[in-house]
Amino acid sequence: MFCDLVDSTALSQRLDPEELHGLIQSYQRVCSDVISRFDGHIAQYLGDGLLVYFGYPLAHEDDARRAVKTGLGIIEAVEQSPLLKKGLEWPQVRIGIHTGIVVIGEMGGVQRRKRLALGNTPNIASRIQGTAEPNALVISSSTYRLVHGYFRCQDIGNRVLKGISSPIHLFRVIGENESRSWIDISLSRGLTPLIGRDSELNLVLNCWDDVKRGVGQVVLINGEPGIGKSRLLKELQGHIRRESYIKLECRCLPYYKNSALYPIIDLPQRLLGLKREDSLERKIDRLEGVLKEYGFPIHEVIPLFASLLSLPLPDRYTPVSLTPEKQKQRILEAPSDWLIKVSQKQPVLLIVEDLQWVDPSTVELLNLLIEREPAYRILIALIFRPEFNSPWAVRSHIVNLTLSRLAQKDVKVMIENVTGGKLLPSEVVEQIIVKTDGVPLFVGELTKMIIESGLLKEGDERYELTGSLLPFAIPATLQDSLMARLDHLSTVKELAQLGATLGKEFSFELIRAVSFLDETILERDLSRLVESELLYQSGVGHQTRYFLNTS
C-alpha cells in the first residue's frame, strides 16, 4: 500500500517549516495508528508518503482485506482529524494498493540497511496511488479479486501507468459491505450442495428440534479453516427457512480480539438496523422502542446498553451508580436477558463465529448465557478452529462436533458440482484430490481456478486438456491462508521451507544432513510440523520418512 499527501509542495509553501513539521508528524501518527490496528508493516517513510506491507513480516489469511480496511480507516481518520475540526489546515491523502509476489531482501549501504520488497508490486502500487482522487482509495484487479464482495467498489477501467508495460484494471473502493465471510459472498453466486456431512447435519437438525420443544442447546463446531463449519450452518438455515425463528449472527475478528465484547457490541447495532452515520437521537429512540417492545424497564436498562454500545447517555437518564465489577456484571446480563425475552416469542438461532479470536469478556457473556439457556428456546452455535481451547465441557445440552476432511469419493462429487456435472480429465481430478487433501474450500477454489486457467477446453459433456498437464499453482485466494499457517509456526517455518526444497517426500537422514539444527531440536521441530499436518510421517527414528501435505 502506498499512501501519499495531496499537494504537499503547495502545503510547504503556505506553512513555515515548524508548522509543516508538526502537521507531517500528526499525519504520520494518524496513519500509523490505523496501520498497526490491522497488523500492517510500515516499510518506509518517504517524505510525506508511506510504503506499507501486508503479509510481511507476519502473514494473515486476510491480508488483502486488512490492507483495504487500513486504507479506508486512514481516509476516515484524516477526514475526522481534530486539527481539521479546529479549522486548521489539514492535508488530504491518496492511497493505492496492489497485490503480488515479492522477494524480501536487504538493501542499502554499510551504514544503513533495510529489508525491502523487491519486484514490480511496490512500483505498481505507487503508480496506482497517483491515479487516486483526494481522500480516495484505488486498488488493482489482483487485489479486487481477493476482496470482491467485502467492499463496495467502482470500476474505473484500464489505466496506462507510467513505467508499467501493460494497462492495469483499477477499482475505487467506496466502503465496506455487510458481507462478513466468504460464505456470505458465495450465497449471492449460489452454493454448491453440501457433500459428505449427512450425519453432522442430522445432529444439528436434532438439536434444533429440541430447541423448538423448549430445551435449549449448544453446538460447538470445531474444524480447520475451509473445512465447512459455516457451510454446515447455512445448510441448517436452508432446512428451516420456512419456520418462524430469529437468527442472530456475530463474528469475532482478529484485529478486535483485545476489544471487550466487540462481537456482542456489533450484534445489537445490526439487529437494531443502526448505521454509523445515524444521529445519537435516532440510535437512542430505536433502542428505546425495541426494549419497550420486550417489556424492559427503560430507565434501568438504557444506561447499560448505552455503555455497551459506547453511546453518550441522554440527560433524561441517570447514569449507573454501581461498583465497576457490579456494573460489568449488569452489562453482561443485559444482552443475555434480551435474548431470553426474544426466545419467549420465537425460537432463536445464535451463531458466534471464529471464537479463536474471542475476547475474555465475550467468553464471560457466553458462559452466562449457556448456563441459563437450557430452559429457553435458544440454539447457540459456536464455531472455532482447533487452536481455541473450549472452556465448555460436554453436558446434556452441549454437543461437541469436529468436522473432518472429506473422503475421496466426496471430493469427486464436489468437483462435479463445481463443473456443473461435466467431467474433468482423470489426471486433473487426481491432482485436485492430492493437492486439496479433502478440504472443501480448497477443492472448490482449485477446481474453479483450473476451469478458468485456459488449460482445459469445454465440451458438451466434459473438459479436455489443451496441452500437457503441468502442476497447478496455489490459487491466490488460498496463498494468504497457507502463509498465515506457516507464520503461525514461525520457529519451524524455515524447516518447512527446507523440506519443500527436498521434494514431496524425504527421509530423516536426508534432512538431518542438510539442516544446521541439532538432532534433538530437529526431531522436535519435525514433530511440530507433523502435529500441524503440514507433514505426514511414516516409520520411526532414523528410518522415518516425511511427506509434504500439498493441500
Side-chain angles (χ1 to χ4, degrees):
M1 181 180 84
F2 257 90
C3 177
D4 204 9
L5 287 180
V6 176
D7 291 333
S8 57
T9 303
L11 280 173
S12 66
Q13 293 174 348
R14 292 197 298 270
L15 302 175
D16 67 40
E18 287 187 357
E19 289 175 325
L20 181 64
H21 179 262
L23 185 144
I24 296 294
Q25 276 193 321
S26 297
Y27 149 72
Q28 290 179 342
R29 187 163 51 248
V30 164
C31 293
S32 178
D33 289 345
V34 179
I35 291 164
S36 63
R37 187 193 316 159
F38 296 101
D39 273 357
H41 171 67
I42 301 176
Q44 283 184 297
Y45 288 99
L46 304 168
D48 53 23
L50 292 89
L51 169 61
V52 186
Y53 301 155
F54 294 85
Y56 175 84
L58 185 65
H60 307 85
E61 62 197 64
D62 60 345
D63 277 312
R65 271 181 281 157
R66 286 171 181 259
V68 175
K69 279 177 159 294
T70 299
L72 292 174
I74 287 174
I75 291 170
E76 180 182 11
V78 165
E79 291 177 335
Q80 296 180 356
S81 164
L83 293 177
L84 189 65
K85 292 177 181 177
K86 292 177 182 177
L88 300 177
E89 187 158 16
W90 184 246
Q92 295 176 304
V93 294
R94 292 190 179 95
I95 300 175
I97 298 174
H98 180 55
T99 304
I101 300 296
V102 299
V103 172
I104 301 292
E106 287 198 351
M107 301 290 289
V110 176
Q111 298 296 324
R112 187 178 182 185
R113 298 181 67 81
K114 285 190 174 183
R115 295 180 67 83
L116 297 174
L118 306 177
N120 216 19
T121 303
N123 299 331
I124 293 175
S126 174
R127 299 303 184 196
I128 290 173
Q129 172 268 134
T131 69
E133 298 293 324
N135 280 357
L137 166 61
V138 176
I139 63 176
S140 67
S141 56
S142 61
T143 303
Y144 175 78
R145 283 192 293 271
L146 296 172
V147 303
H148 173 55
Y150 294 99
F151 301 92
R152 301 189 307 279
C153 297
Q154 174 189 357
D155 188 337
I156 55 179
N158 290 323
R159 296 291 179 89
V160 177
L161 305 179
K162 183 180 178 181
I164 309 300
S165 58
S166 301
I168 303 290
H169 197 171
L170 302 180
F171 298 81
R172 178 179 177 181
V173 182
I174 308 300
E176 288 195 63
N177 275 333
E178 288 297 312
S179 299
R180 300 301 180 94
S181 68
W182 73 270
I183 198 80
D184 296 329
I185 296 168
S186 299
L187 280 172
S188 62
R189 299 194 296 261
L191 295 172
T192 57
L194 185 68
I195 306 296
R197 301 289 188 217
D198 290 346
S199 60
E200 293 90 343
L201 178 61
N202 287 334
L203 188 151
V204 178
L205 285 169
N206 289 337
C207 288
W208 181 249
D209 288 339
D210 288 340
V211 167
K212 290 188 293 184
R213 290 195 294 269
V215 182
Q217 298 287 307
V218 180
V219 181
L220 309 176
I221 305 178
N222 176 20
E224 62 187 299
I227 205 69
K229 304 182 292 295
S230 301
R231 179 68 182 86
L232 177 64
L233 290 180
K234 288 297 180 187
E235 193 71 12
L236 165 68
Q237 294 167 57
H239 276 72
I240 64 176
R241 64 184 180 278
R242 291 188 175 86
E243 299 181 18
S244 177
Y245 74 100
I246 293 176
K247 182 188 80 169
L248 304 173
E249 192 169 8
C250 54
R251 178 181 298 275
C252 308
L253 295 172
Y255 19 88
Y256 294 119
K257 59 186 176 184
N258 295 320
S259 299
L261 296 173
Y262 170 79
I264 306 303
I265 292 169
D266 190 47
L267 182 60
Q269 296 190 99
R270 296 175 67 196
L271 186 64
L272 293 168
L274 300 179
K275 297 179 181 178
R276 181 177 297 181
E277 61 269 20
D278 287 341
S279 65
L280 174 62
E281 291 75 16
R282 165 165 166 70
K283 291 178 179 179
I284 294 295
D285 288 348
R286 179 70 178 141
L287 188 58
E288 286 176 341
V290 171
L291 294 178
K292 281 181 181 176
E293 179 186 339
Y294 286 102
F296 281 97
I298 296 299
H299 283 275
E300 292 181 18
V301 295
I302 287 292
L304 297 173
F305 277 101
S307 178
L308 177 67
L309 300 174
S310 299
L311 298 176
L313 190 64
D315 293 337
R316 61 183 179 274
Y317 290 100
T318 303
V320 177
S321 56
L322 299 170
T323 64
E325 189 60 33
K326 188 64 177 176
Q327 181 172 340
K328 178 185 176 183
Q329 182 65 22
R330 289 293 295 122
I331 289 174
L332 291 176
E333 289 172 349
S336 176
D337 293 341
W338 186 6
L339 281 175
I340 286 172
K341 285 184 176 291
V342 169
S343 73
Q344 291 170 346
K345 293 189 174 184
Q346 293 185 79
V348 172
L349 172 60
L350 171 63
I351 301 171
V352 185
E353 297 216 37
D354 289 327
L355 281 174
Q356 68 276 3
W357 296 314
V358 73
D359 64 276
S361 295
T362 299
V363 173
E364 287 185 54
L365 191 150
L366 291 173
N367 281 333
L368 180 65
L369 188 57
I370 288 171
E371 288 299 318
R372 301 173 68 187
E373 65 89 58
Y376 300 97
R377 296 186 299 169
I378 304 174
L379 173 59
I380 304 176
L382 304 178
I383 299 177
F384 51 90
R385 296 179 184 178
E387 58 262 33
F388 176 70
N389 294 318
S390 170
W392 302 291
V394 175
R395 292 161 56 184
S396 60
H397 70 293
I398 300 178
V399 177
N400 209 330
L401 182 58
T402 300
L403 299 188
S404 58
R405 298 186 177 195
L406 298 179
Q408 284 195 16
K409 62 180 179 63
D410 294 324
V411 172
K412 290 179 179 179
V413 173
M414 187 173 179
I415 291 170
E416 288 188 16
N417 276 291
V418 175
T419 64
K422 293 186 178 182
L423 299 177
L424 294 178
S426 59
E427 56 266 53
V428 174
V429 172
E430 186 61 30
Q431 272 213 33
I432 294 173
I433 290 172
V434 170
K435 283 183 175 291
T436 60
D437 200 28
V439 179
L441 176 61
F442 294 1
V443 174
E445 290 297 315
L446 186 56
T447 304
K448 285 187 285 187
M449 189 205 77
I450 291 170
I451 291 172
E452 297 167 1
S453 67
L455 295 173
L456 301 174
K457 180 181 178 182
E458 185 176 0
D460 292 336
E461 297 182 355
R462 60 188 304 117
Y463 287 89
E464 302 289 347
L465 279 167
T466 57
S468 59
L469 180 63
L470 300 173
F472 298 118
I474 300 170
T477 49
L478 303 180
Q479 284 177 0
D480 284 346
S481 178
L482 177 59
M483 291 306 300
R485 193 173 169 193
L486 281 172
D487 279 358
H488 184 67
L489 300 164
S490 56
T491 58
V492 295
K493 179 179 177 181
E494 289 187 3
L495 183 61
Q497 293 170 326
L498 178 60
T501 65
L502 297 178
K504 293 182 180 179
E505 176 184 348
F506 54 86
S507 66
F508 176 82
E509 294 291 348
L510 178 57
I511 198 165
R512 183 179 66 170
V514 298
S515 170
F516 294 104
L517 296 174
D518 173 82
E519 184 170 326
T520 303
I521 296 174
L522 177 63
E523 289 176 342
R524 181 201 66 192
D525 289 354
L526 285 169
S527 295
R528 285 198 66 196
L529 290 171
V530 170
E531 289 169 6
S532 68
E533 297 187 343
L534 287 171
L535 289 180
Y536 297 134
Q537 175 181 333
S538 174
V540 294
H542 288 191
Q543 303 304 312
T544 304
R545 297 194 68 80
Y546 296 94
F547 305 85
L548 284 176
N549 179 353
T550 53
S551 64

